[in-house]
Coordinates of all heavy atoms in Angstrom, one line a residue:
M1 N 23.6 0.2 -38.1 CA 22.9 1.4 -37.8 C 21.5 1.2 -37.5 O 20.9 1.7 -36.5 CB 23.0 2.3 -39.1 CG 22.4 3.7 -38.9 SD 23.6 4.7 -37.8 CE 23.0 6.2 -38.1
K2 N 20.8 0.2 -38.2 CA 19.4 -0.1 -37.9 C 19.3 -0.7 -36.5 O 18.4 -0.4 -35.8 CB 18.9 -1.1 -38.9 CG 18.1 -0.5 -40.1 CD 17.6 -1.6 -40.9 CE 16.7 -1.0 -42.0 NZ 16.1 -2.0 -42.8
T3 N 20.2 -1.6 -36.2 CA 20.2 -2.2 -34.9 C 20.3 -1.2 -33.8 O 19.5 -1.3 -32.7 CB 21.3 -3.2 -34.7 OG1 21.2 -4.1 -35.8 CG2 21.2 -4.0 -33.4
A4 N 21.1 -0.2 -33.9 CA 21.2 0.9 -32.8 C 20.0 1.6 -32.7 O 19.5 2.0 -31.6 CB 22.4 1.8 -33.2
M5 N 19.3 1.9 -33.8 CA 18.1 2.6 -33.8 C 16.9 1.8 -33.1 O 16.1 2.4 -32.4 CB 17.6 3.1 -35.2 CG 18.5 4.1 -35.9 SD 18.6 5.6 -34.9 CE 17.0 6.3 -35.3
I6 N 16.9 0.6 -33.4 CA 15.9 -0.3 -32.7 C 16.2 -0.4 -31.2 O 15.2 -0.3 -30.4 CB 16.0 -1.7 -33.4 CG1 15.5 -1.7 -34.8 CG2 15.2 -2.7 -32.5 CD1 15.6 -3.0 -35.6
K7 N 17.4 -0.5 -30.8 CA 17.7 -0.5 -29.4 C 17.3 0.8 -28.7 O 16.7 0.8 -27.6 CB 19.2 -0.7 -29.2 CG 19.6 -2.2 -29.5 CD 21.1 -2.4 -29.2 CE 21.5 -3.8 -29.5 NZ 22.9 -4.0 -29.3
I8 N 17.6 1.9 -29.4 CA 17.2 3.2 -28.8 C 15.7 3.3 -28.7 O 15.1 3.8 -27.7 CB 17.7 4.4 -29.6 CG1 19.3 4.4 -29.5 CG2 17.1 5.7 -29.3 CD1 20.0 5.4 -30.4
G9 N 15.0 2.8 -29.7 CA 13.5 2.9 -29.7 C 12.9 2.0 -28.6 O 12.0 2.4 -27.9
L10 N 13.5 0.8 -28.4 CA 13.0 -0.1 -27.4 C 13.3 0.5 -26.0 O 12.5 0.4 -25.1 CB 13.8 -1.5 -27.4 CG 13.2 -2.4 -28.6 CD1 14.1 -3.6 -28.7 CD2 11.8 -2.7 -28.3
A11 N 14.5 1.1 -25.8 CA 14.8 1.8 -24.5 C 13.8 2.9 -24.2 O 13.4 3.0 -23.1 CB 16.2 2.3 -24.6
A12 N 13.5 3.7 -25.2 CA 12.5 4.7 -25.0 C 11.1 4.2 -24.7 O 10.5 4.7 -23.8 CB 12.4 5.6 -26.3
L13 N 10.7 3.1 -25.3 CA 9.4 2.5 -25.1 C 9.4 1.9 -23.6 O 8.4 2.1 -22.9 CB 9.2 1.4 -26.0 CG 7.9 0.6 -25.9 CD1 6.7 1.6 -26.2 CD2 7.8 -0.5 -26.9
L14 N 10.5 1.3 -23.2 CA 10.5 0.8 -21.8 C 10.5 1.9 -20.8 O 9.8 1.8 -19.8 CB 11.8 0.0 -21.6 CG 11.8 -1.4 -22.3 CD1 13.2 -2.0 -22.2 CD2 10.8 -2.3 -21.7
C15 N 11.1 3.0 -21.0 CA 11.1 4.1 -20.1 C 9.7 4.7 -20.0 O 9.2 5.1 -19.0 CB 12.1 5.3 -20.5 SG 13.8 4.7 -20.3
T16 N 9.1 4.9 -21.2 CA 7.7 5.4 -21.2 C 6.7 4.4 -20.5 O 5.9 4.9 -19.7 CB 7.2 5.6 -22.6 OG1 8.1 6.4 -23.3 CG2 5.8 6.2 -22.7
S17 N 6.9 3.1 -20.7 CA 6.0 2.1 -20.0 C 6.2 2.2 -18.5 O 5.3 2.2 -17.7 CB 6.3 0.7 -20.4 OG 6.1 0.6 -21.8
A18 N 7.4 2.4 -18.0 CA 7.7 2.5 -16.6 C 7.1 3.8 -16.0 O 6.5 3.7 -14.9 CB 9.2 2.5 -16.4
A19 N 7.1 4.8 -16.8 CA 6.5 6.1 -16.3 C 5.0 6.0 -16.2 O 4.4 6.4 -15.2 CB 6.9 7.2 -17.2
F20 N 4.3 5.3 -17.2 CA 2.9 5.2 -17.0 C 2.5 4.2 -15.9 O 1.6 4.4 -15.3 CB 2.3 4.6 -18.4 CG 2.2 5.6 -19.5 CD1 2.8 5.6 -20.7 CD2 1.4 6.7 -19.2 CE1 2.7 6.6 -21.6 CE2 1.3 7.7 -20.2 CZ 1.9 7.6 -21.4
G21 N 3.4 3.2 -15.7 CA 3.1 2.3 -14.6 C 3.2 3.0 -13.2 O 2.4 2.8 -12.3
A22 N 4.1 3.9 -13.1 CA 4.2 4.7 -11.9 C 3.0 5.5 -11.6 O 2.5 5.7 -10.5 CB 5.5 5.5 -11.9
L23 N 2.5 6.1 -12.7 CA 1.4 7.0 -12.6 C 0.1 6.2 -12.2 O -0.8 6.7 -11.5 CB 1.1 7.7 -14.0 CG 2.1 8.8 -14.3 CD1 1.8 9.3 -15.7 CD2 2.2 9.9 -13.3
A24 N 0.0 5.0 -12.7 CA -1.2 4.1 -12.4 C -1.3 3.8 -10.9 O -2.4 3.6 -10.4 CB -1.2 2.9 -13.3
E25 N -0.2 3.8 -10.2 CA -0.2 3.4 -8.8 C -0.2 4.6 -8.0 O 0.6 4.9 -7.1 CB 1.0 2.6 -8.6 CG 1.0 1.2 -9.3 CD 2.2 0.3 -8.9 OE1 3.0 0.7 -8.1 OE2 2.2 -0.8 -9.4
E26 N -1.3 5.4 -8.1 CA -1.5 6.6 -7.3 C -2.2 6.2 -6.0 O -3.2 5.6 -5.9 CB -2.3 7.6 -8.0 CG -2.4 8.9 -7.2 CD -3.2 10.0 -8.0 OE1 -3.1 9.9 -9.2 OE2 -3.9 10.8 -7.4
F27 N -1.5 6.5 -4.8 CA -2.1 6.1 -3.6 C -3.1 7.1 -3.1 O -3.1 8.3 -3.4 CB -1.0 6.1 -2.4 CG -0.1 4.9 -2.5 CD1 0.9 4.8 -3.4 CD2 -0.5 3.7 -1.8 CE1 1.7 3.6 -3.5 CE2 0.3 2.6 -1.8 CZ 1.4 2.5 -2.7
T28 N -4.2 6.6 -2.4 CA -5.3 7.4 -2.0 C -5.4 7.2 -0.5 O -5.3 6.1 0.0 CB -6.6 6.9 -2.7 OG1 -6.5 7.0 -4.1 CG2 -7.8 7.8 -2.2
K29 N -5.8 8.3 0.2 CA -5.9 8.2 1.7 C -7.3 7.7 2.1 O -8.3 8.0 1.3 CB -5.7 9.6 2.3 CG -4.2 10.1 2.3 CD -4.1 11.4 2.9 CE -2.6 11.8 2.7 NZ -2.4 13.2 3.3
G30 N -7.4 6.9 3.1 CA -8.7 6.4 3.5 C -8.6 5.9 5.0 O -7.5 5.8 5.6
I31 N -9.8 5.6 5.5 CA -9.9 5.1 6.9 C -10.6 3.7 6.7 O -11.7 3.6 6.1 CB -10.7 6.0 7.8 CG1 -10.0 7.3 7.9 CG2 -10.9 5.4 9.2 CD1 -10.9 8.4 8.6
V32 N -10.1 2.7 7.4 CA -10.6 1.3 7.3 C -11.8 1.3 8.3 O -11.8 1.6 9.4 CB -9.6 0.3 7.7 CG1 -10.3 -1.1 7.7 CG2 -8.4 0.3 6.8
N33 N -13.0 1.0 7.7 CA -14.3 0.9 8.5 C -14.5 -0.5 8.9 O -15.0 -0.8 10.1 CB -15.5 1.3 7.8 CG -15.6 2.9 7.7 OD1 -14.7 3.6 8.2 ND2 -16.5 3.4 7.0
K34 N -14.2 -1.5 8.1 CA -14.5 -2.9 8.4 C -13.6 -3.8 7.6 O -13.3 -3.5 6.4 CB -16.0 -3.2 8.1 CG -16.5 -4.6 8.3 CD -17.9 -4.8 8.0 CE -18.3 -6.2 8.2 NZ -19.7 -6.5 7.8
V35 N -13.2 -4.9 8.2 CA -12.4 -5.9 7.5 C -13.2 -7.2 7.6 O -13.5 -7.7 8.6 CB -11.0 -6.1 8.1 CG1 -10.2 -7.1 7.5 CG2 -10.2 -4.7 8.2
D36 N -13.4 -7.8 6.4 CA -14.1 -9.2 6.4 C -13.1 -10.1 5.7 O -13.1 -10.3 4.5 CB -15.4 -9.0 5.6 CG -16.2 -10.2 5.5 OD1 -15.7 -11.3 5.9 OD2 -17.4 -10.2 5.1
T37 N -12.4 -10.8 6.6 CA -11.4 -11.7 6.1 C -12.0 -12.9 5.4 O -11.4 -13.4 4.4 CB -10.4 -12.2 7.2 OG1 -11.2 -12.7 8.3 CG2 -9.6 -11.1 7.8
K38 N -13.1 -13.4 5.8 CA -13.7 -14.6 5.2 C -14.1 -14.3 3.7 O -13.9 -15.0 2.8 CB -15.0 -15.0 5.9 CG -14.8 -15.9 7.0 CD -16.1 -16.5 7.6 CE -15.9 -17.5 8.7 NZ -17.1 -18.0 9.2
A39 N -14.7 -13.1 3.5 CA -15.1 -12.7 2.2 C -14.0 -12.0 1.4 O -14.2 -11.7 0.2 CB -16.3 -11.7 2.3
K40 N -12.9 -11.8 2.1 CA -11.7 -11.1 1.4 C -12.1 -9.7 0.9 O -11.8 -9.3 -0.2 CB -11.1 -11.9 0.3 CG -10.5 -13.2 0.8 CD -9.8 -13.9 -0.4 CE -9.1 -15.1 0.0 NZ -8.5 -15.9 -1.1
K41 N -12.8 -9.0 1.8 CA -13.3 -7.6 1.5 C -12.9 -6.6 2.6 O -12.8 -7.0 3.8 CB -14.8 -7.6 1.2 CG -15.2 -8.4 0.0 CD -16.6 -8.3 -0.2 CE -17.0 -9.1 -1.4 NZ -18.4 -9.1 -1.7
V42 N -12.8 -5.4 2.3 CA -12.6 -4.3 3.3 C -13.4 -3.1 2.9 O -13.6 -2.8 1.7 CB -11.1 -3.9 3.3 CG1 -10.6 -3.4 1.9 CG2 -10.8 -2.9 4.4
T43 N -14.0 -2.5 3.9 CA -14.8 -1.3 3.7 C -13.9 -0.1 4.0 O -13.4 0.0 5.1 CB -16.1 -1.3 4.6 OG1 -16.8 -2.5 4.3 CG2 -16.9 0.0 4.3
I44 N -13.8 0.9 3.1 CA -12.9 2.0 3.3 C -13.6 3.3 3.0 O -14.3 3.4 2.0 CB -11.6 2.0 2.4 CG1 -10.9 0.7 2.6 CG2 -10.7 3.2 2.6 CD1 -9.7 0.4 1.6
K45 N -13.5 4.3 4.0 CA -14.0 5.6 3.7 C -12.8 6.4 3.1 O -11.8 6.5 3.7 CB -14.4 6.3 5.0 CG -14.9 7.7 4.8 CD -15.3 8.4 6.1 CE -15.8 9.8 5.8 NZ -16.3 10.4 7.1
H46 N -12.9 6.7 1.8 CA -11.7 7.2 1.0 C -11.9 8.6 0.4 O -13.0 9.0 0.2 CB -11.3 6.2 -0.1 CG -12.4 6.0 -1.1 ND1 -12.6 6.8 -2.1 CD2 -13.4 5.0 -1.2 CE1 -13.6 6.4 -2.9 NE2 -14.1 5.3 -2.4
E47 N -10.8 9.2 0.1 CA -10.8 10.4 -0.7 C -11.1 10.1 -2.2 O -11.2 8.9 -2.5 CB -9.4 11.1 -0.6 CG -9.1 11.6 0.9 CD -7.8 12.3 1.0 OE1 -7.0 12.3 0.1 OE2 -7.6 12.8 2.1
D48 N -11.1 11.1 -3.0 CA -11.3 10.9 -4.4 C -10.3 9.8 -5.0 O -9.1 9.9 -4.7 CB -11.0 12.1 -5.3 CG -12.1 13.2 -5.0 OD1 -13.1 12.9 -4.3 OD2 -11.9 14.3 -5.4
L49 N -10.8 8.8 -5.7 CA -10.0 7.8 -6.4 C -9.8 8.4 -7.9 O -10.7 8.1 -8.7 CB -10.7 6.5 -6.4 CG -10.8 5.8 -5.1 CD1 -11.7 4.6 -5.1 CD2 -9.4 5.4 -4.6
K50 N -8.8 9.1 -8.1 CA -8.6 9.8 -9.3 C -8.3 8.8 -10.5 O -8.9 9.0 -11.6 CB -7.4 10.7 -9.2 CG -7.6 11.9 -8.2 CD -6.5 12.8 -8.0 CE -6.9 13.8 -7.0 NZ -5.7 14.4 -6.4
N51 N -7.6 7.7 -10.3 CA -7.4 6.8 -11.4 C -8.7 6.0 -11.7 O -8.8 5.5 -12.9 CB -6.3 5.8 -10.9 CG -6.7 4.9 -9.8 OD1 -7.3 5.3 -8.8 ND2 -6.3 3.6 -9.8
L52 N -9.7 6.0 -10.9 CA -10.9 5.4 -11.2 C -12.1 6.4 -11.5 O -13.2 6.0 -11.7 CB -11.4 4.4 -10.1 CG -10.4 3.2 -9.8 CD1 -10.9 2.5 -8.6 CD2 -10.4 2.3 -11.0
D53 N -11.7 7.7 -11.4 CA -12.6 8.8 -11.6 C -13.8 8.6 -10.7 O -15.0 8.7 -11.1 CB -13.0 8.8 -13.1 CG -13.7 10.2 -13.5 OD1 -13.3 11.2 -12.8 OD2 -14.5 10.2 -14.4
M54 N -13.6 8.4 -9.4 CA -14.6 8.3 -8.4 C -14.5 9.4 -7.3 O -13.4 9.6 -6.9 CB -14.6 6.9 -7.7 CG -15.1 5.9 -8.5 SD -15.2 4.4 -7.5 CE -15.7 3.2 -8.7
P55 N -15.6 10.0 -6.8 CA -15.5 11.0 -5.8 C -15.3 10.2 -4.4 O -15.4 9.0 -4.3 CB -16.9 11.6 -5.8 CG -17.8 10.5 -6.4 CD -17.0 9.7 -7.3
A56 N -15.0 11.0 -3.4 CA -14.8 10.5 -2.1 C -16.1 9.8 -1.5 O -17.2 10.4 -1.8 CB -14.4 11.6 -1.1
M57 N -16.0 8.7 -0.9 CA -17.2 8.0 -0.4 C -16.7 6.8 0.5 O -15.5 6.6 0.6 CB -18.1 7.5 -1.5 CG -17.4 6.4 -2.4 SD -18.6 5.8 -3.7 CE -18.3 7.0 -5.0
T58 N -17.7 6.1 1.0 CA -17.4 4.9 1.7 C -17.8 3.7 0.9 O -19.0 3.7 0.4 CB -18.1 4.8 3.1 OG1 -17.7 5.9 3.8 CG2 -17.8 3.5 3.8
M59 N -16.9 2.7 0.6 CA -17.3 1.6 -0.2 C -16.5 0.4 0.1 O -15.5 0.4 0.8 CB -17.1 1.9 -1.7 CG -15.7 2.3 -2.1 SD -15.7 3.0 -3.8 CE -16.3 1.6 -4.7
V60 N -17.0 -0.8 -0.4 CA -16.4 -2.1 -0.2 C -15.5 -2.4 -1.4 O -15.9 -2.2 -2.5 CB -17.5 -3.1 0.0 CG1 -16.8 -4.6 0.2 CG2 -18.4 -2.8 1.2
F61 N -14.3 -2.9 -1.0 CA -13.3 -3.4 -2.0 C -13.0 -4.8 -1.8 O -13.0 -5.2 -0.7 CB -12.0 -2.5 -1.9 CG -12.2 -1.1 -2.2 CD1 -12.5 -0.2 -1.2 CD2 -12.0 -0.6 -3.5 CE1 -12.6 1.2 -1.4 CE2 -12.1 0.7 -3.8 CZ -12.4 1.6 -2.7
R62 N -12.6 -5.5 -2.8 CA -12.1 -6.8 -2.7 C -10.6 -6.7 -2.4 O -9.9 -5.7 -2.7 CB -12.2 -7.6 -4.0 CG -13.7 -7.8 -4.5 CD -13.8 -8.5 -5.8 NE -13.5 -10.0 -5.5 CZ -14.5 -10.9 -5.3 NH1 -15.7 -10.5 -5.3 NH2 -14.2 -12.1 -5.1
V63 N -10.1 -7.7 -1.7 CA -8.6 -7.8 -1.5 C -8.2 -9.2 -1.8 O -8.6 -10.2 -1.1 CB -8.3 -7.5 0.0 CG1 -6.8 -7.6 0.3 CG2 -8.8 -6.1 0.4
E64 N -7.4 -9.4 -2.9 CA -7.0 -10.8 -3.3 C -5.9 -11.3 -2.5 O -5.8 -12.5 -2.3 CB -6.7 -10.8 -4.8 CG -7.9 -10.5 -5.7 CD -7.6 -10.6 -7.2 OE1 -6.5 -10.6 -7.6 OE2 -8.6 -10.5 -7.9
D65 N -5.0 -10.4 -2.0 CA -3.8 -10.9 -1.3 C -4.1 -11.0 0.2 O -4.3 -9.9 0.9 CB -2.7 -9.9 -1.6 CG -1.4 -10.3 -0.9 OD1 -1.3 -11.3 -0.2 OD2 -0.4 -9.5 -1.2
P66 N -4.1 -12.2 0.8 CA -4.4 -12.3 2.2 C -3.4 -11.5 3.1 O -3.8 -11.1 4.2 CB -4.3 -13.8 2.5 CG -4.4 -14.4 1.1 CD -4.0 -13.4 0.1
A67 N -2.2 -11.4 2.6 CA -1.2 -10.6 3.4 C -1.6 -9.2 3.6 O -1.4 -8.5 4.6 CB 0.2 -10.7 2.7
L68 N -2.3 -8.6 2.6 CA -2.8 -7.2 2.7 C -3.9 -7.1 3.7 O -4.0 -6.2 4.5 CB -3.3 -6.7 1.4 CG -2.3 -6.3 0.3 CD1 -3.0 -5.7 -0.9 CD2 -1.4 -5.2 0.9
L69 N -4.8 -8.1 3.8 CA -5.9 -8.1 4.7 C -5.3 -8.1 6.1 O -6.0 -7.5 7.0 CB -6.7 -9.4 4.5 CG -7.9 -9.3 3.5 CD1 -8.6 -10.6 3.3 CD2 -8.9 -8.2 3.9
E70 N -4.3 -8.9 6.4 CA -3.7 -9.0 7.7 C -3.2 -7.6 8.2 O -3.2 -7.3 9.4 CB -2.6 -10.0 7.7 CG -3.0 -11.4 7.6 CD -1.9 -12.4 7.4 OE1 -0.7 -12.0 7.8 OE2 -2.2 -13.5 7.0
R71 N -2.8 -6.8 7.3 CA -2.3 -5.4 7.7 C -3.4 -4.4 7.9 O -3.1 -3.3 8.4 CB -1.4 -5.0 6.6 CG -0.1 -5.9 6.5 CD 0.8 -5.5 5.3 NE 0.9 -4.1 4.9 CZ 1.2 -3.7 3.8 NH1 1.6 -4.5 2.9 NH2 1.3 -2.4 3.5
L72 N -4.6 -4.7 7.5 CA -5.8 -3.7 7.7 C -6.5 -4.0 8.9 O -6.9 -5.0 9.3 CB -6.7 -3.9 6.5 CG -6.1 -3.7 5.1 CD1 -7.1 -4.1 4.0 CD2 -5.7 -2.2 4.9
K73 N -6.6 -2.9 9.7 CA -7.2 -2.9 11.0 C -8.4 -1.8 11.0 O -8.1 -0.7 10.6 CB -6.3 -2.6 12.2 CG -5.1 -3.5 12.2 CD -5.5 -4.9 12.6 CE -4.3 -5.8 12.7 NZ -4.5 -7.1 12.1
E74 N -9.5 -2.2 11.6 CA -10.6 -1.2 11.7 C -10.2 0.1 12.4 O -9.6 0.0 13.4 CB -11.8 -1.8 12.3 CG -12.5 -2.9 11.5 CD -13.7 -3.6 12.1 OE1 -14.2 -3.0 13.1 OE2 -14.0 -4.7 11.7
G75 N -10.5 1.2 11.8 CA -10.2 2.5 12.4 C -8.9 3.1 12.0 O -8.6 4.2 12.3
S76 N -8.1 2.3 11.3 CA -6.7 2.8 10.9 C -6.7 3.6 9.7 O -7.5 3.4 8.8 CB -5.7 1.6 10.8 OG -6.2 0.8 9.8
N77 N -5.9 4.6 9.7 CA -5.7 5.5 8.5 C -4.7 4.8 7.6 O -3.7 4.3 8.1 CB -5.1 6.9 8.9 CG -6.1 7.7 9.6 OD1 -7.2 7.9 9.2 ND2 -5.7 8.1 10.9
I78 N -5.0 4.7 6.3 CA -4.2 4.0 5.3 C -4.0 4.9 4.1 O -4.8 5.8 3.9 CB -4.7 2.6 5.0 CG1 -6.1 2.7 4.3 CG2 -4.7 1.7 6.1 CD1 -6.6 1.5 3.6
E79 N -3.1 4.5 3.3 CA -3.0 5.0 1.9 C -3.0 3.7 1.1 O -2.2 2.7 1.4 CB -1.7 5.7 1.7 CG -1.7 7.1 2.4 CD -0.5 7.9 2.1 OE1 -0.1 7.9 0.9 OE2 0.0 8.6 3.0
F80 N -3.8 3.7 0.0 CA -4.0 2.5 -0.8 C -4.1 2.7 -2.2 O -4.3 3.8 -2.7 CB -5.2 1.7 -0.2 CG -6.5 2.4 -0.5 CD1 -7.3 1.9 -1.5 CD2 -6.9 3.4 0.3 CE1 -8.5 2.5 -1.8 CE2 -8.1 4.1 0.0 CZ -8.9 3.6 -1.1
V81 N -3.9 1.7 -3.0 CA -4.1 1.7 -4.5 C -5.3 0.8 -4.8 O -5.3 -0.3 -4.3 CB -2.9 1.2 -5.3 CG1 -3.2 1.2 -6.8 CG2 -1.7 2.1 -5.0
A82 N -6.3 1.3 -5.5 CA -7.4 0.5 -5.9 C -7.5 0.5 -7.4 O -7.3 1.5 -8.0 CB -8.8 1.1 -5.3
E83 N -7.7 -0.7 -8.0 CA -7.8 -0.8 -9.4 C -9.0 -1.8 -9.7 O -9.5 -2.5 -8.9 CB -6.5 -1.5 -9.9 CG -5.3 -0.6 -9.6 CD -4.0 -1.3 -10.2 OE1 -4.0 -1.7 -11.3 OE2 -3.1 -1.4 -9.3
R84 N -9.4 -1.8 -11.0 CA -10.3 -2.7 -11.4 C -9.6 -4.0 -11.8 O -8.8 -4.0 -12.7 CB -11.1 -2.2 -12.7 CG -12.2 -1.2 -12.3 CD -13.1 -1.0 -13.4 NE -13.9 0.2 -13.2 CZ -14.9 0.3 -12.4 NH1 -15.4 -0.7 -11.8 NH2 -15.6 1.5 -12.2
V85 N -9.9 -5.1 -11.2 CA -9.3 -6.4 -11.5 C -10.5 -7.3 -11.8 O -11.3 -7.6 -11.0 CB -8.5 -6.9 -10.3 CG1 -7.9 -8.3 -10.6 CG2 -7.4 -6.0 -9.8
N86 N -10.5 -7.8 -13.0 CA -11.6 -8.6 -13.6 C -12.9 -8.0 -13.3 O -13.9 -8.6 -12.9 CB -11.5 -10.0 -12.9 CG -10.2 -10.8 -13.3 OD1 -9.7 -10.6 -14.4 ND2 -9.7 -11.5 -12.4
G87 N -13.0 -6.7 -13.5 CA -14.3 -6.0 -13.3 C -14.6 -5.6 -11.9 O -15.7 -5.0 -11.7
K88 N -13.8 -6.0 -11.0 CA -14.2 -5.8 -9.5 C -13.2 -4.7 -8.9 O -12.0 -4.8 -9.2 CB -14.0 -7.0 -8.7 CG -14.8 -8.2 -9.2 CD -16.2 -8.1 -8.9 CE -17.0 -9.3 -9.4 NZ -18.4 -9.3 -9.1
L89 N -13.7 -3.8 -8.1 CA -12.8 -2.8 -7.5 C -12.0 -3.6 -6.4 O -12.6 -4.2 -5.5 CB -13.6 -1.7 -6.9 CG -14.3 -0.8 -7.9 CD1 -15.2 0.2 -7.2 CD2 -13.3 -0.1 -8.7
T90 N -10.7 -3.5 -6.5 CA -9.8 -4.3 -5.7 C -8.7 -3.4 -5.1 O -8.1 -2.6 -5.9 CB -9.2 -5.4 -6.5 OG1 -10.3 -6.2 -7.2 CG2 -8.4 -6.4 -5.7
V91 N -8.4 -3.6 -3.9 CA -7.2 -2.9 -3.2 C -6.0 -3.8 -3.6 O -6.0 -5.0 -3.3 CB -7.4 -2.8 -1.7 CG1 -6.1 -2.4 -1.1 CG2 -8.5 -1.9 -1.3
T92 N -5.0 -3.2 -4.3 CA -3.9 -3.9 -4.7 C -2.6 -3.6 -3.9 O -1.6 -4.4 -4.0 CB -3.6 -3.7 -6.2 OG1 -3.4 -2.3 -6.4 CG2 -4.7 -4.2 -7.1
E93 N -2.6 -2.5 -3.2 CA -1.4 -2.1 -2.4 C -1.9 -1.3 -1.2 O -2.8 -0.5 -1.3 CB -0.4 -1.2 -3.3 CG 0.3 -2.0 -4.3 CD 1.4 -1.1 -5.0 OE1 2.3 -0.6 -4.2 OE2 1.3 -0.9 -6.2
V94 N -1.1 -1.4 -0.1 CA -1.4 -0.6 1.1 C -0.1 -0.2 1.6 O 0.9 -0.9 1.7 CB -2.2 -1.4 2.1 CG1 -2.3 -0.6 3.4 CG2 -3.5 -1.8 1.6
K95 N 0.0 1.1 2.1 CA 1.1 1.6 2.9 C 0.7 2.3 4.1 O -0.4 2.7 4.3 CB 2.1 2.3 2.0 CG 1.6 3.7 1.5 CD 2.7 4.4 0.8 CE 2.3 5.8 0.3 NZ 3.4 6.5 -0.3

């Protein structure tokens, strides 16, 4: 009986964790102003970043994944996820 309760509790915890993970990855619309591949940075004019509690503005983000940088072109409309990674604002996903 105890084992069944533990399994149910773990299943509920995993489902809750997955739901919070999905909420954290909220995409924001923006326009790419500049791509600096050497510095691994991109300048984006973006809408409100709700997950970071930031108003709409133009700012520079780090991009750790070189594959993401290759997909970013100046003047293009994008949807992206920005998060704090090691204290730096970083683009982690683009669609």
Side-chain angles (χ1 to χ4, degrees):
M1 188 71 161
K2 266 188 172 178
T3 305
M5 293 300 286
I6 291 172
K7 286 181 182 178
I8 290 170
L10 284 174
L13 182 63
L14 287 172
C15 289
T16 304
S17 297
F20 281 122
L23 291 175
E25 294 183 0
E26 182 175 329
F27 283 86
T28 302
K29 292 180 182 179
I31 299 171
V32 178
N33 284 357
K34 181 180 177 184
V35 178
D36 185 343
T37 52
K38 274 189 177 179
K40 295 184 178 178
K41 294 182 179 180
V42 61
T43 305
I44 303 173
K45 181 178 181 180
H46 62 80
E47 294 180 351
D48 292 350
L49 290 168
K50 294 176 185 160
N51 64 319
L52 297 172
D53 197 27
M54 283 189 182
M57 67 177 85
T58 301
M59 60 188 300
V60 178
F61 296 89
R62 299 181 78 94
V63 180
E64 291 183 351
D65 183 357
L68 282 182
L69 272 175
E70 291 173 13
R71 295 174 33 202
L72 299 172
K73 304 290 181 225
E74 290 180 19
S76 61
N77 290 305
I78 61 168
E79 289 186 39
F80 69 102
V81 175
E83 299 177 53
R84 285 195 194 279
V85 178
N86 297 322
K88 307 283 184 179
L89 293 176
T90 306
V91 172
T92 57
E93 289 186 60
V94 176
K95 66 175 179 177

